[in-house]
């Protein structure tokens, strides 16, 4: 067995990418058990067959990388996996209607979380948003004001704010407190949209959002809320 303790941490970004590919190739040839320690989620997601997410010396979840991303067990795992990070805000659930940031979204039965509590934490991955121009017209939409537009070439990131209460894990709070350039009341959201978007900083934008990609967490325990239906579809969310 091999133990690798943050072997790429001191490399520049370009060399780190190349070395990740070399390490993956080496493991494929040797097929030797390897324990790889890293704070870089990209390294964990691309190199690990199974990934253990740890917090303060305790394992929070162990699973395949895709499962950690799609079915995080709690708020810590949800906020740790993914770049940009999952948008996390307080929300209110009234039957099959979800309210957050001044918006009301009707949920299909298969998307309703199995909880008796009205106040929950809502998680939305950036890719669950899309510029409404390019999205399914049947999806609910949000009318927002664009704060920042980041053109990444293959897609674009739209930053906007909603009048909602943001939720941060203890580890993310310090980073959040240092976001002075974008500091304002409410919650900052990031949406990943088609690069052809007409979004412009300071201009309004209609965003479609897919409730199938919503994640729900208990406000007190931080644990993931399961879906109402006990189907294979629900188990995969």
């Amino acid at each position: 067995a091999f133990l690798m303790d943050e072997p790429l941490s001191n490399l520049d970004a370009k060399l780190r990418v190349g070395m990740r590919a070399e390490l993956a190739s080496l493991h494929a040839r040797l097929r030797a058990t390897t324990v790889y320690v890293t704070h870089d989620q990209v390294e964990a997601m691309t190199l690990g067959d199974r990934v253990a997410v740890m917090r303060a010396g305790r394992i929070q979840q162990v699973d395949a990388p895709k499962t950690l991303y799609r079915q995080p067990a709690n708020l810590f795992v949800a906020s740790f996996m993914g770049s940009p990070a999952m948008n996390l805000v307080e929300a209110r659930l009234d039957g099959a209607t979800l309210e957050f940031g001044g918006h009301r979204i009707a949920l299909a039965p298969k998307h309703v979380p199995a909880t008796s509590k009205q106040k929950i934490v809502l998680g939305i991955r950036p890719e669950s948003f899309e510029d409404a121009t390019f999205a399914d017209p049947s999806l609910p939409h949000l009318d927002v004001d664009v704060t920042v537009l980041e053109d990444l070439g293959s897609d674009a990131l739209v930053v906007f704010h909603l009048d909602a209460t943001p939720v941060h894990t203890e580890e993310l709070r310090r980073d959040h407190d240092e976001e002075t350039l974008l500091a304002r009341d409410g919650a900052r959201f990031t949406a990943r949209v088609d690069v052809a978007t007409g979004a412009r900083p300071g201009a309004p934008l209609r965003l479609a959002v897919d409730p199938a990609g919503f994640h729900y967490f208990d406000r007190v325990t931080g644990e993931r809320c399961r879906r109402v239906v006990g189907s294979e579809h629900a188990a995969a969310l």
Side-chain angles (χ1 to χ4, degrees):
F2 294 96
L3 171 61
M4 297 187 181
D5 189 357
E6 300 197 59
L8 310 183
S9 59
N10 293 320
L11 303 182
D12 61 55
K14 182 177 180 180
L15 185 55
R16 190 180 300 122
V17 172
M19 286 304 299
R20 280 207 312 265
E22 290 295 330
L23 289 174
S25 176
L26 181 65
H27 179 260
R29 293 201 313 269
L30 299 179
R31 303 308 301 170
T33 298
T34 303
V35 179
Y36 192 102
V37 182
T38 179
H39 286 86
D40 188 323
Q41 60 172 284
V42 176
E43 289 180 25
M45 295 285 283
T46 55
L47 293 175
D49 297 308
R50 287 177 62 81
V51 178
V53 179
M54 301 186 68
R55 179 186 189 186
R58 294 182 178 273
I59 294 177
Q60 302 295 303
Q61 186 175 358
V62 182
D63 221 313
K66 286 185 178 180
T67 303
L68 291 176
Y69 188 82
R70 296 173 181 173
Q71 302 176 55
N74 55 41
L75 278 171
F76 179 78
V77 178
S79 61
F80 182 75
M81 304 302 293
S83 181
M86 182 185 289
N87 303 291
L88 294 168
V89 294
E90 292 188 6
R92 184 176 182 273
L93 188 65
D94 183 8
T97 301
L98 184 69
E99 300 178 13
F100 67 99
H103 296 273
R104 291 171 58 88
I105 294 179
L107 301 175
K110 63 184 178 181
H111 298 150
V112 177
T115 176
S116 60
K117 299 179 180 179
Q118 286 191 319
K119 293 185 177 180
I120 58 175
V121 174
L122 169 66
I124 308 177
R125 293 283 185 197
E127 60 269 23
S128 291
F129 292 101
E130 180 56 279
D131 186 323
T133 304
F134 309 104
D136 183 340
S138 67
L139 291 176
H141 63 266
L142 313 177
D143 291 312
V144 305
D145 292 319
V146 178
T147 304
V148 175
L149 174 67
E150 297 182 355
D151 189 339
L152 304 180
S154 58
D155 54 13
L157 299 181
V158 172
V159 178
F160 61 97
H161 288 77
L162 291 181
D163 185 17
T165 303
V167 175
H168 300 274
T169 65
E170 182 180 346
E171 284 72 15
L172 296 178
R173 186 174 301 280
R174 186 172 71 173
D175 293 337
H176 172 71
D177 291 342
E178 293 172 354
E179 291 170 357
T180 55
L181 292 178
L182 295 177
R184 61 166 66 183
D185 293 335
R188 190 185 78 171
F189 279 72
T190 302
R192 189 187 300 275
V193 300
D194 193 294
V195 71
T197 180
R200 295 292 181 270
L205 176 67
R206 174 162 290 188
L207 286 172
V209 61
D210 186 0
F214 286 179
H215 301 260
Y216 306 97
F217 303 91
D218 188 283
R219 292 173 68 246
V220 177
T221 66
E223 296 299 308
R224 179 182 182 85
C225 299
R226 300 299 177 185
R227 298 292 174 86
V228 168
V229 289
S231 64
E232 292 180 1
H233 177 81
L237 295 177

